[in-house]
Amino acid sequence: MRFHADLHIHSKYARACSRDSDLEHLTWWARRKGVALMGTGDFTHPTWFEHLRENLVPAEPGLFRLREEIDLEALGPPPAGVAPGQVRFMLSTEISTIYRRGERTRKIHHLVYMPGFDEAAAFNARLDRIGNLSADGRPILGMDSRALLEVTLSSGDGAYLVPAHVWTPWFGVFGSKSGFDTIEECYGELSEHIFALETGLSSDPAMNWRVSALDRYRLVSHSDAHSPPMVGRETTVFETDLDYFAVLRALQTGTGYAGTTEFFPEEGKYHLDGHRGCDIRTNPEETRGRDGICPVCGKPLTVGVLSRVRDLADRPDGFRPEGVAGFRSLVPLPEIVGEILDVGSKSKKVLKEVDRLTAALGPELRILEDVPVGDIAAHSPPLAKAVERLRRGEVIREPGYDGTYGVIRLFEPGELERANEETTPTLF
């Protein structure tokens, strides 16, 4: 079967995360978005771990589902065409490691996956001797990345590690602030056990294809959701059985790995270089021309993902390795509807309209990728126009930098107002 997976999310026990980041809300939003397989996030946190054990029951090999007595309909109706009980979970967590190596402080984030609670418990017991797992759903540990990989592999058959958002300046394995130039530098002789890399919101596969050293890795994308509505903003697509070990084999071999759905990388908050506090945004050429120094405050600029990719690239822009899986760049449906209605994407007006659209047309990802434009037009002509442009990649891009999200728009300023005046008095 073909399905979307979002295997990097957080619970309500992680810092700066929504109180609604519980299993019920995560499941409901996964159904709304069209995500069949979710990470649990944060299984290292003792309270969340016990909650997972109490409220998840075994499903397919290595996967879990909510107990049937939990009522999701109280949160709202599912989108059209989605039956209850379709969402599965696999045990996942994110670990932040901070340590000294090569006369530099390294701050690297990692995603860790376990096929069962016994393996996860063994992993947690090892880490509990190193740091305080109850302080944060994403624990910060003073251990080397290689040591974390070793602990992961020793926790049981099927346990694996994926470097998280690898280009992020502050916490990515290739990040400009504290990263490395190669996977081998970071993980040493155990690097052969790394077979997938999470590209992060500020890069896409096309950017990564410029670095030949990454050809042997599957490039995965996930939401890193800190609240349930953010689920599915990036996903990895599989054509396998819904099975932990089938997903693992797809990542190891490429068979059954069908690519990703992505942000436009310019929307990510570290795409370009700059200084948020000084309102300075620069492209790689401008950064080099200024020797990496902010023209306002005289301090080093935060070097973003595009610059870092160019530093390590040994291929021209636009190069595509033979046989690699593809990807689709999307804009979340609430952002599109917010642009059409000229209100914020989290407003009640947008939520109500998205409720109406998904009830009629199905989950968000299906609307953005597959529903015929004519069917969308029957419910919202401007959304149909937006989706048509989105599928062609015809978007207006304002890149993010230094922790500030970029903006992707589908319409020119004033275009919707002019079209509305020429047709009907309301957009919907």
Side-chain angles (χ1 to χ4, degrees):
M1 64 179 288
R2 183 181 179 90
F3 60 90
H4 289 272
D6 185 354
L7 304 180
H8 182 183
I9 64 99
H10 289 285
S11 73
K12 62 183 178 181
Y13 295 100
R15 291 178 184 174
C17 289
S18 169
R19 291 177 296 177
D20 287 339
S21 292
D22 53 37
L23 288 173
E24 294 87 349
H25 284 86
L26 290 167
T27 300
W28 190 89
W29 280 96
R31 292 164 67 188
R32 160 71 73 87
K33 297 300 183 83
V35 176
L37 178 58
M38 291 280 295
T40 60
D42 304 344
F43 74 66
T44 48
H45 191 278
T47 306
W48 184 242
F49 184 73
E50 289 306 314
H51 183 74
L52 294 174
R53 281 216 274 207
E54 291 172 4
N55 292 281
L56 294 177
V57 296
E60 297 80 8
L63 301 183
F64 303 87
R65 60 170 176 80
L66 272 182
R67 292 186 180 278
E68 292 181 356
E69 59 266 26
I70 295 177
D71 181 18
L72 295 179
E73 304 312 313
L75 301 178
V82 175
Q86 288 184 341
V87 177
R88 297 293 187 262
F89 286 92
M90 61 191 293
L91 296 174
S92 71
T93 194
E94 183 180 14
I95 307 291
S96 175
T97 58
I98 301 180
Y99 57 98
R100 293 283 295 179
R101 176 105 76 81
E103 300 184 353
R104 290 181 62 187
T105 297
R106 310 291 183 169
K107 300 179 181 181
I108 312 296
H109 286 188
H110 317 262
L111 302 173
V112 173
Y113 302 94
M114 295 287 158
F117 283 105
D118 290 344
E119 294 85 352
F123 179 80
N124 290 350
R126 293 279 298 276
L127 296 193
D128 193 44
R129 297 196 289 269
I130 297 170
N132 182 5
L133 299 185
S134 63
D136 190 357
R138 182 184 62 202
I140 300 173
L141 302 176
M143 65 187 303
D144 192 286
S145 296
R146 183 208 166 278
L148 178 64
L149 177 55
E150 184 175 27
V151 172
T152 301
L153 297 173
S154 66
S155 297
D157 291 341
Y160 69 99
L161 179 150
V162 175
H165 41 69
V166 295
W167 296 102
T168 302
W170 302 98
F171 299 107
V173 67
F174 300 135
S176 61
K177 295 296 184 181
S178 59
F180 299 86
D181 287 347
T182 67
I183 293 296
E184 289 74 15
E185 285 181 83
C186 183
Y187 297 100
E189 76 281 6
L190 295 181
S191 61
E192 64 184 29
H193 296 283
I194 302 294
F195 43 80
L197 306 175
E198 186 190 51
T199 58
L201 302 181
S202 295
S203 83
D204 62 14
M207 294 169 64
N208 288 261
W209 293 337
R210 296 191 59 192
V211 183
S212 62
L214 305 187
D215 285 355
R216 74 180 189 89
Y217 302 103
R218 245 58 63 193
L219 302 177
V220 300
S221 291
H222 306 301
S223 70
D224 194 2
H226 287 208
S227 66
M230 296 298 104
V231 163
R233 59 182 177 176
E234 290 199 337
T235 71
T236 303
V237 184
F238 293 94
E239 292 180 346
T240 69
D241 292 335
L242 198 56
D243 173 321
Y244 179 99
F245 299 96
V247 167
L248 174 57
R249 286 191 297 272
L251 293 177
Q252 290 172 325
T253 66
T255 301
Y257 162 78
T260 57
T261 62
E262 304 272 341
F263 260 30
F264 286 90
E266 292 86 355
E267 190 170 2
K269 59 183 180 180
Y270 291 106
H271 185 71
L272 289 186
D273 314 325
H275 257 180
R276 176 173 50 182
C278 298
D279 196 25
I280 292 295
R281 175 175 54 195
T282 61
N283 61 41
E285 292 75 19
E286 292 170 328
T287 302
R288 291 189 180 95
R290 293 180 169 133
D291 294 324
I293 300 300
C294 175
V296 175
C297 68
K299 296 179 180 179
L301 294 164
T302 299
V303 175
V305 169
L306 183 60
S307 279
R308 189 65 176 137
V309 169
R310 292 188 179 186
D311 287 344
L312 299 185
D314 55 357
R315 290 166 170 164
D317 191 20
F319 183 90
R320 178 169 180 163
E322 185 177 353
V324 296
F327 67 97
R328 301 181 77 168
S329 298
L330 302 175
V331 177
L333 183 60
E335 292 183 18
I336 301 175
V337 173
E339 182 181 1
I340 292 170
L341 296 175
D342 195 26
V343 296
S345 62
K346 297 179 182 179
S347 70
K348 290 183 179 179
K349 193 173 183 181
V350 167
L351 292 175
K352 182 178 179 180
E353 180 59 19
V354 172
D355 283 344
R356 185 183 74 85
L357 292 167
T358 55
L361 298 169
E364 176 178 327
L365 286 166
R366 189 181 302 167
I367 293 172
L368 297 177
E369 292 188 290
D370 302 319
V371 174
V373 170
D375 292 351
I376 299 174
H379 297 273
S380 170
L383 179 62
K385 175 62 70 176
V387 169
E388 188 175 34
R389 291 176 179 178
L390 178 65
R391 292 175 183 176
R392 294 197 299 259
E394 296 175 359
V395 301
I396 302 162
R397 312 172 195 222
E398 182 179 326
Y401 67 101
D402 194 23
T404 301
Y405 280 107
V407 177
I408 305 295
R409 294 185 289 111
L410 280 302
F411 298 96
E412 295 287 350
E415 181 182 354
L416 285 167
E417 290 84 349
R418 291 191 298 272
N420 194 43
E421 290 171 358
E422 294 169 2
T423 54
T424 62
T426 58
L427 289 174
F428 296 100

